[in-house]
Amino acid sequence: MKNERGQRHNYVERGVTVGFLTDPTLCIGCKACEVACKEWNDVPSDGGARAAIGSRSYDHSGDLGASTWRHVKFVETETEEGLPRWLFLSDVCKHCERAGCLEACPTGAIWRTEVGSVLVDDDRCNGCGYCVVSCPFGVIDRRGRPTAEIIGSIAGTAPSSGSSEAVAGEGGAFKCTLCYDRQVEGKIPACANACPTDSIMFGPLVDLKEYAQVRVETLHQRGVTDAVLYDGQEGNVNGIHAMSVLVGGSVGDAAGDAADLWGQPSNPTAPYAYLAASWSSALLTVVLSAVACWLAFVL
Amino acid sequence: MSDRAPSGYADRPLVKPPVWTWEIPVYFFVGGVAGMSLLIAAVAGLARMSDGAPALDPLVRKCVWVACAGAVISPMLLISDLGRPMRFLNMLSRFNVRSPMSMGVWILVGFSGVSGLLLIAVNGTIVDLPVVAPFAGALGPLMTTLLICGGLFGALLATYTGVLLGVSTIPAWHQNRRRLPVHFGLASLGSAASVLLLFGSSDPVLVRLLWIAIAGEAGIALLSIDRSAVARENAAVPQWTRLPPILMTVASAVPLVLGLPVLAAISFPMGSLLSRFAWIKVGRLSAMTSGSSQRD
Amino acid sequence: MKTRSRDAQRPDCARSVCPYCAVGCGQLVYHRDGKVTSIEGDPESPINAGTLCPKGSASKELVTHEGRLIWAKVRRPGASEWERIPLEQAMDEIAERTWASRNRNWVDRDADTGERIGHTTAVAHLGGATLDNEENYLIKKLFTAGLGMVAVSNQARI
Amino acid sequence: MAEAHPVGFRWVMKAKERGTKVIHVDPRFSRTSAQADLWMPIRAGGDLAFLGGLISIVLKEKAYFAEYVEAYTNAGALVHEDYQGPDDLGGLFSGWNAESYDTSTWQLERDADGVLVRDPTMEHARCVLQVLKRHFARYTPSMVEEIAGVPEQRLRAVADHLIAASGPVKTAAICYAVGWTQHSKGVQIIRAAAILQLLLGNVGRPGGGLMALRGHASIQGSTDIPTLYDILPGYLKMPRGGVGETTLDGWCATHQPRTGWWANSRRYMVSLLKAYYGEKATHANDYGFGLLPRVTKDHSHFHYWLEMADGGIEGLFLMGQNPSVGAQNGRLERKALAQLDWLVVRDLVEIESATFWKDGPEIERGELVTEDVKTEVYLLPAAAHVEKAGTFTQTQRMLQWREQAVEPRADQRSEAWFVHQLALRLQAMARAESDSSNATADRDAALLSLDWWYPEVEHGAIKGEPQTEAVLAEINGWRTVDRQAGRAAETQPGAVCALDRENHVHHGPQVAGFSELNDDGSTACGCWIYSGVYGPDGVNRAYRREPVGRYGHGWGYAWPMDRRILYNRASARPDGKPWSKGKALVWWDDSLGQWTGHDVPDFPVDKRPDTAADLNGEGVAAHPGDAPFLMQDDGLGQLFVPEGLVDGPLPTHYEPLESPLANALYAQQSDPAAGRFDRPDNLFADLGDRRFPYVLTTYRLTEHHTAGGMSRTLSRLSELQPELFVEISFELAGELQIEDGDWVTVVNLRSAVEARALVTRRMMPLRMGSQDGKPRVVHQVAMPFHWGSSGPNRGDVVNDLIPLSSEPNVSIHESKALLCDVVPGRRPGDRELLQWLEQRYPELEIARTGGVANVGHGARSASDDASEELV
């Protein structure tokens, strides 16, 4: 399976559900995906929650967020013989099958496109911020004030260049758009287009799923026995469109500690799971308080 | 293999902290007070019915005034917290049952509408208008339905905010998704009663309501002492977040017992307001410590 | 829903090569109304097949960021600030200084053997690895074959 | 390679997916190591010992590709009787006379007709193969471990992989970059790799060879058409003063061998002179050969920079280079700029080299005072790669034409415009002066003879831009037209850009390739190796974009003659058949009576493989049909190099100029012919100086570009690597009690640099033999060198830590293996830095003050035995 860079695809017209498969065993940690994404989408510099030097190997982008839509993670570990082992993985919004952000959005700004990607319409979003606390992967964020200040004040790292002047698109929620505007043109997303080693694979989700199984199997045969597929089947998001192979966890584990190592939830839970319990409690309170008032009056 | 753990991301936050600032906790408090005062108005009006029409005694009038004040202030607070305030109308472009934020907006709209009508109705000027005269007979049941709707919207307004936090990925919030609506409801009820007391209404019902709220809060406090969210054990939780339960229970009960209701009517709402700020702060800390290696 | 698609009206697209390292990745430079809109890998290049590294991917910012010099500037001896200078005047002044320094330090013949040397070591040049072949050709032709400058060097040093 | 050539590494990854073994040798476990099958940690400076170890194994176990070595290399040639190697002379070769080598004892035996005497069995005691075996005999696995820190079984693993991947059916490739070249013995390290590849039969074959991963977009171009002091376009040597090269014949006597491709030198030089001086280059005036300036010493960057530091240079042009950050001994580099009368800087941004007088470190430290710096600095904006058309030559010798996308803005201009406008002005001044008096006739003869004919084009608001296609046409070469015989009415067929600025016919049809160049003035050619890029068919081959076949012919133009793999005759057996079906590249086709294959044959197309050598033939005709290495005099791969290298015919391990170890193999500590520029502001630490216990090496990051002018100024790259750091092992960090992310200061005799400590397991202490009974452990620290004092993303200049030095053959500096100390905490502020340095290392103050050590400066280092000095 290969990224089709020369020809134009017509996934949008045919409504084909597309996605990413990221394979860390091909990644060289060059961060071309981070730069290509920002250049194509004019994403401003993420001077905000900057991971200070020394806290995360060569990863200074810190986290996905409103101004970092692709984020290469670096893990330094060791082989059995005690030789260094350096792993890289390009993280991105998961475009969940059932997306917490989409369900939380009160303005309908977040919608699912014909290719199954979850897209924030920057012209509708009024920055209410509820999607930010509804994403089980901690991806989407509101740009500019006050997220940077909040994180800065808590994590004790004042935003290094928390520039006060207005940031482009300030106040809106942002995340990876799976380059919907490129896809309308029949082009593949900017990150997959740039990736020198095709570690980021873009294509129909069905084909990616099939290829992912084959790839994990091949890796196991080749001795990369700790390779597992992280496809979001656990938890309640019913699968994710941006899958990745994970390495570095313990051999043969279900994706548990590999997910932990890479800072991914092993059991991503979109908040809709809590609706019933919370609303019922609210309605019960309404009734009880009405009764309480009645009693207070009548006695 | 050396004992050195791999430099991984297990200690990095799994979810993002809330982006809301002071306007939201204040709105939770103001909305709660306004909401519950309309509930009190409704119950008061219906409990003291006379000849098919709810009594519009001074307590009900005050409650409606408080509700209307809340109905005016709340939207301003919500809109000011938006990243793009000028687009607040987009919230009204759809009705999304699965989003507590969307439901909350419609509850607030409903509440504001009803409290507006009640304000007019309660002031009696409408009754003398010649155009209204022929419907005089229907006023009683109209007032009843208005009060019932107001009470319903009011109570929902006071409790949906609990659902707003409860239905989220923030561990400290969703782990308390059942407790939060109850807590916000009771806190609002008690605060509404206190506010009315402070506005000079001496109706003994208010003190009883305050007692109910205090008892409720004491119950919740006892329940949550044993386990509660990751926030409690987390060392980074500032001390002041432990203050609200005390204010709303002991610090309110003692003045009541000593016959100083005004003191209680100050302590309780203060505890209630502080509690909203505490839950936001705890929510942020909970997000920042949501890394898999810190999972409790 | 407004899609900000850059290719909607097919702006011109220049075929170029990345200015950073010597791998020589092909680049497509999309531009409209005299401005570069985006730069990505050239899918037909057998070298990079449409891919780019982080530096190559940053080419658009490289050619459009505000830190780029736009106006010629000169710092007069002892001055503590730059001052603007018209480009033509700068060229004249540079030509005069080159001419003067070269002639003042012209070595026509070897003092002992009388052998023709015909060079100056008082005017030097550094740079070239990031320039075009045509530019390096003109530099060597003018400076060495024309002016007799021998102190000509660049990053390669082979 | 994944770090500095990520897209080049795409193809290594594709090969790895198909089973190719990838071995990475590097002092630091980098992103390349992360994807390699085998990482080889090595002590910076031990590369040649490591390669010698591999050669020694290949020779001892006769694992070399015998048929290839016997036929295609000078393995069988006999070395001069009086030749003596480093084992005999304590690390030197015979012929060393304290300053340089007399190479007479290195010559190979020739018979009466001058043909090489070769022992086909390669057993003769004096034959090159046996000399090689003796030379590398002591590079045993244990010796390699002691010198390079490479464990024995790991060296064995690499040898096994290389041997298994060589021979008729398989090939192995070696890719290298400045990690090998930037050493005081850099050329010899490459030589060792070349010997290894020749022995394994990997040169000239698909998937084999030795590839230099060059660093800049057109650095290959800037050596092919060189802005370098000692060569002319096409690697023709610049005439030197005092060695009898006053005439063309004199020059040809030394640079035109009778045999081998260089026999054509005269035709290329005359054609170049015709391109330079046009009609003024005639048979009568030796085609203007006398007009060329003579080289009298080493005029390369460091050498003339030291003259500049001593006030010997008045003016400097900086065109696309930022020495204040990118060059070694930054303090000396920047202070030297202050000695200039005038400086012209042409760049995209306001680089440190343009603002040394304003906010350079020396200003902060008080070493320079703005008002006292008299240098007049012109800062002219340059056009970017999308704002001008032209060709780059990438690392596989391929020329690629760039289309111009947009117009430059305001004063932004291309370098071509700048040089063209400067040339017009200078020629006008020369004409004015020569009209008034002919005293200066001799001095300005060259400038006035210069054929500056370039037609101009207008684009956007810019006038006076020389037509780039015209310059490329001149580079390709054409048949000259006798313009005195009246104006030719119209251009001849096959001519390209034939009208000059006055619309007169300037030249005739383009030549199709360098085989058409003559030495009678009938042809002109700006760079013979590029000839063929813009032929008579008017097709600019650098502009082609239709790749065909495995090697992408039809995309761009690889010199020479669009050949993709050099010496590919060696991909066929002596009898012309491919070594194996899978590795067939070029072979003899009997039916066609020609060489054919997947690449342009690097051999006379119709010369049969069994052709005997023509004893008095000229050039390649003198070679037999089975001599692939056309550029060499004997057409053979040079395992032993009798001529052309100034520091020895065979690679020999020497320690870096600053090393923690004594040379374990020979008494000679470092390369005898390497230059150290011993000066007060360029001191080296002596062997065993315990004040500098750690090995320092430098490298590049993927996210930044050399001196940072094209990356630190971009937000999208800067935020990926926001701060300077130094990579330190957990073990060393433990000894120094520093944590990941702490500030540390790296200091040596040149300067002190502060950086964040990145404590990692990717830097490993090396166990290297033993020292006074205990196993010796050597710690290494590694630093990227992109940061500087200007622009939004600033940091200390790592190159300040590195002394000027020059490798004997190409005068490249040694910046990959040095010594340093690592001190926890930030360095003192700029004001106190120099005093702090001199306190730590009194010899700095002695050097600065010329011998008077000020007692008042406090603590003395243990090694200081100077008598008590009065204040």
Side-chain angles (χ1 to χ4, degrees), chain D residues 202-217:
Chain D
N202 283 323
V203 179
R205 303 181 59 204
L210 195 56
M211 183 158 110
L213 295 165
R214 309 208 63 175
H216 288 271

PDB file of all heavy atoms in Angstrom, chain D residues 202-217:
ATOM      1  N   ASN D 202      33.075  -3.271  -5.056  1.00  0.00           N
ATOM      2  CA  ASN D 202      31.777  -2.568  -5.039  1.00  0.00           C
ATOM      3  C   ASN D 202      31.783  -1.275  -5.839  1.00  0.00           C
ATOM      4  O   ASN D 202      30.752  -0.601  -5.905  1.00  0.00           O
ATOM      5  CB  ASN D 202      31.403  -2.236  -3.570  1.00  0.00           C
ATOM      6  CG  ASN D 202      30.885  -3.484  -2.857  1.00  0.00           C
ATOM      7  OD1 ASN D 202      30.192  -4.303  -3.475  1.00  0.00           O
ATOM      8  ND2 ASN D 202      31.234  -3.642  -1.592  1.00  0.00           N
ATOM      9  N   VAL D 203      32.950  -0.902  -6.428  1.00  0.00           N
ATOM     10  CA  VAL D 203      32.990   0.409  -7.096  1.00  0.00           C
ATOM     11  C   VAL D 203      32.539   0.263  -8.549  1.00  0.00           C
ATOM     12  O   VAL D 203      32.916  -0.700  -9.215  1.00  0.00           O
ATOM     13  CB  VAL D 203      34.433   0.990  -7.041  1.00  0.00           C
ATOM     14  CG1 VAL D 203      34.482   2.330  -7.759  1.00  0.00           C
ATOM     15  CG2 VAL D 203      34.864   1.153  -5.583  1.00  0.00           C
ATOM     16  N   GLY D 204      31.689   1.186  -8.996  1.00  0.00           N
ATOM     17  CA  GLY D 204      31.236   1.205 -10.391  1.00  0.00           C
ATOM     18  C   GLY D 204      30.076   0.253 -10.627  1.00  0.00           C
ATOM     19  O   GLY D 204      29.698  -0.017 -11.769  1.00  0.00           O
ATOM     20  N   ARG D 205      29.485  -0.241  -9.518  1.00  0.00           N
ATOM     21  CA  ARG D 205      28.446  -1.258  -9.679  1.00  0.00           C
ATOM     22  C   ARG D 205      27.155  -0.775  -9.012  1.00  0.00           C
ATOM     23  O   ARG D 205      27.194   0.053  -8.094  1.00  0.00           O
ATOM     24  CB  ARG D 205      28.909  -2.578  -9.031  1.00  0.00           C
ATOM     25  CG  ARG D 205      30.247  -3.068  -9.631  1.00  0.00           C
ATOM     26  CD  ARG D 205      30.674  -4.387  -9.008  1.00  0.00           C
ATOM     27  NE  ARG D 205      29.644  -5.419  -9.220  1.00  0.00           N
ATOM     28  CZ  ARG D 205      29.530  -6.499  -8.415  1.00  0.00           C
ATOM     29  NH1 ARG D 205      30.346  -6.647  -7.383  1.00  0.00           N
ATOM     30  NH2 ARG D 205      28.601  -7.406  -8.658  1.00  0.00           N
ATOM     31  N   PRO D 206      26.009  -1.277  -9.501  1.00  0.00           N
ATOM     32  CA  PRO D 206      24.736  -0.817  -8.952  1.00  0.00           C
ATOM     33  C   PRO D 206      24.600  -1.191  -7.470  1.00  0.00           C
ATOM     34  O   PRO D 206      24.981  -2.292  -7.080  1.00  0.00           O
ATOM     35  CB  PRO D 206      23.696  -1.547  -9.792  1.00  0.00           C
ATOM     36  CG  PRO D 206      24.390  -2.723 -10.371  1.00  0.00           C
ATOM     37  CD  PRO D 206      25.837  -2.344 -10.508  1.00  0.00           C
ATOM     38  N   GLY D 207      24.165  -0.273  -6.639  1.00  0.00           N
ATOM     39  CA  GLY D 207      23.987  -0.581  -5.219  1.00  0.00           C
ATOM     40  C   GLY D 207      25.312  -0.661  -4.488  1.00  0.00           C
ATOM     41  O   GLY D 207      25.381  -1.151  -3.364  1.00  0.00           O
ATOM     42  N   GLY D 208      26.379  -0.166  -5.151  1.00  0.00           N
ATOM     43  CA  GLY D 208      27.690  -0.197  -4.470  1.00  0.00           C
ATOM     44  C   GLY D 208      28.239   1.196  -4.365  1.00  0.00           C
ATOM     45  O   GLY D 208      27.468   2.169  -4.292  1.00  0.00           O
ATOM     46  N   GLY D 209      29.563   1.300  -4.314  1.00  0.00           N
ATOM     47  CA  GLY D 209      30.219   2.597  -4.400  1.00  0.00           C
ATOM     48  C   GLY D 209      30.319   3.314  -3.068  1.00  0.00           C
ATOM     49  O   GLY D 209      30.023   2.762  -2.002  1.00  0.00           O
ATOM     50  N   LEU D 210      30.733   4.549  -3.181  1.00  0.00           N
ATOM     51  CA  LEU D 210      31.053   5.387  -2.025  1.00  0.00           C
ATOM     52  C   LEU D 210      30.375   6.727  -2.278  1.00  0.00           C
ATOM     53  O   LEU D 210      30.740   7.448  -3.216  1.00  0.00           O
ATOM     54  CB  LEU D 210      32.595   5.558  -2.015  1.00  0.00           C
ATOM     55  CG  LEU D 210      33.270   6.076  -0.749  1.00  0.00           C
ATOM     56  CD1 LEU D 210      32.919   5.211   0.462  1.00  0.00           C
ATOM     57  CD2 LEU D 210      34.780   6.061  -0.937  1.00  0.00           C
ATOM     58  N   MET D 211      29.278   6.996  -1.494  1.00  0.00           N
ATOM     59  CA  MET D 211      28.515   8.203  -1.832  1.00  0.00           C
ATOM     60  C   MET D 211      28.707   9.282  -0.783  1.00  0.00           C
ATOM     61  O   MET D 211      28.476   9.029   0.418  1.00  0.00           O
ATOM     62  CB  MET D 211      27.023   7.885  -1.942  1.00  0.00           C
ATOM     63  CG  MET D 211      26.240   9.116  -2.366  1.00  0.00           C
ATOM     64  SD  MET D 211      24.686   8.671  -3.094  1.00  0.00           S
ATOM     65  CE  MET D 211      23.606   9.234  -1.800  1.00  0.00           C
ATOM     66  N   ALA D 212      29.121  10.443  -1.226  1.00  0.00           N
ATOM     67  CA  ALA D 212      29.228  11.589  -0.309  1.00  0.00           C
ATOM     68  C   ALA D 212      27.859  12.244  -0.192  1.00  0.00           C
ATOM     69  O   ALA D 212      27.239  12.579  -1.199  1.00  0.00           O
ATOM     70  CB  ALA D 212      30.234  12.594  -0.868  1.00  0.00           C
ATOM     71  N   LEU D 213      27.362  12.370   1.036  1.00  0.00           N
ATOM     72  CA  LEU D 213      26.078  13.053   1.255  1.00  0.00           C
ATOM     73  C   LEU D 213      26.418  14.513   1.531  1.00  0.00           C
ATOM     74  O   LEU D 213      26.722  14.896   2.669  1.00  0.00           O
ATOM     75  CB  LEU D 213      25.351  12.422   2.445  1.00  0.00           C
ATOM     76  CG  LEU D 213      24.942  10.962   2.200  1.00  0.00           C
ATOM     77  CD1 LEU D 213      24.571  10.285   3.511  1.00  0.00           C
ATOM     78  CD2 LEU D 213      23.775  10.913   1.240  1.00  0.00           C
ATOM     79  N   ARG D 214      26.407  15.300   0.522  1.00  0.00           N
ATOM     80  CA  ARG D 214      26.895  16.683   0.664  1.00  0.00           C
ATOM     81  C   ARG D 214      25.838  17.557   1.314  1.00  0.00           C
ATOM     82  O   ARG D 214      24.641  17.241   1.304  1.00  0.00           O
ATOM     83  CB  ARG D 214      27.298  17.213  -0.708  1.00  0.00           C
ATOM     84  CG  ARG D 214      28.247  16.215  -1.425  1.00  0.00           C
ATOM     85  CD  ARG D 214      29.188  16.864  -2.386  1.00  0.00           C
ATOM     86  NE  ARG D 214      30.127  17.797  -1.738  1.00  0.00           N
ATOM     87  CZ  ARG D 214      31.106  18.417  -2.379  1.00  0.00           C
ATOM     88  NH1 ARG D 214      31.279  18.187  -3.670  1.00  0.00           N
ATOM     89  NH2 ARG D 214      31.911  19.247  -1.766  1.00  0.00           N
ATOM     90  N   GLY D 215      26.286  18.679   1.888  1.00  0.00           N
ATOM     91  CA  GLY D 215      25.422  19.391   2.827  1.00  0.00           C
ATOM     92  C   GLY D 215      24.564  20.493   2.257  1.00  0.00           C
ATOM     93  O   GLY D 215      23.486  20.760   2.756  1.00  0.00           O
ATOM     94  N   HIS D 216      25.014  21.113   1.169  1.00  0.00           N
ATOM     95  CA  HIS D 216      24.247  22.289   0.695  1.00  0.00           C
ATOM     96  C   HIS D 216      23.582  21.979  -0.640  1.00  0.00           C
ATOM     97  O   HIS D 216      24.002  21.081  -1.368  1.00  0.00           O
ATOM     98  CB  HIS D 216      25.188  23.506   0.529  1.00  0.00           C
ATOM     99  CG  HIS D 216      25.654  24.093   1.831  1.00  0.00           C
ATOM    100  ND1 HIS D 216      24.971  25.084   2.508  1.00  0.00           N
ATOM    101  CD2 HIS D 216      26.721  23.783   2.616  1.00  0.00           C
ATOM    102  CE1 HIS D 216      25.599  25.388   3.627  1.00  0.00           C
ATOM    103  NE2 HIS D 216      26.673  24.607   3.732  1.00  0.00           N
ATOM    104  N   ALA D 217      22.588  22.800  -0.994  1.00  0.00           N
ATOM    105  CA  ALA D 217      21.793  22.530  -2.194  1.00  0.00           C
ATOM    106  C   ALA D 217      22.688  22.367  -3.416  1.00  0.00           C
ATOM    107  O   ALA D 217      22.429  21.518  -4.267  1.00  0.00           O
ATOM    108  CB  ALA D 217      20.798  23.669  -2.416  1.00  0.00           C
TER     109      ALA D 217
END
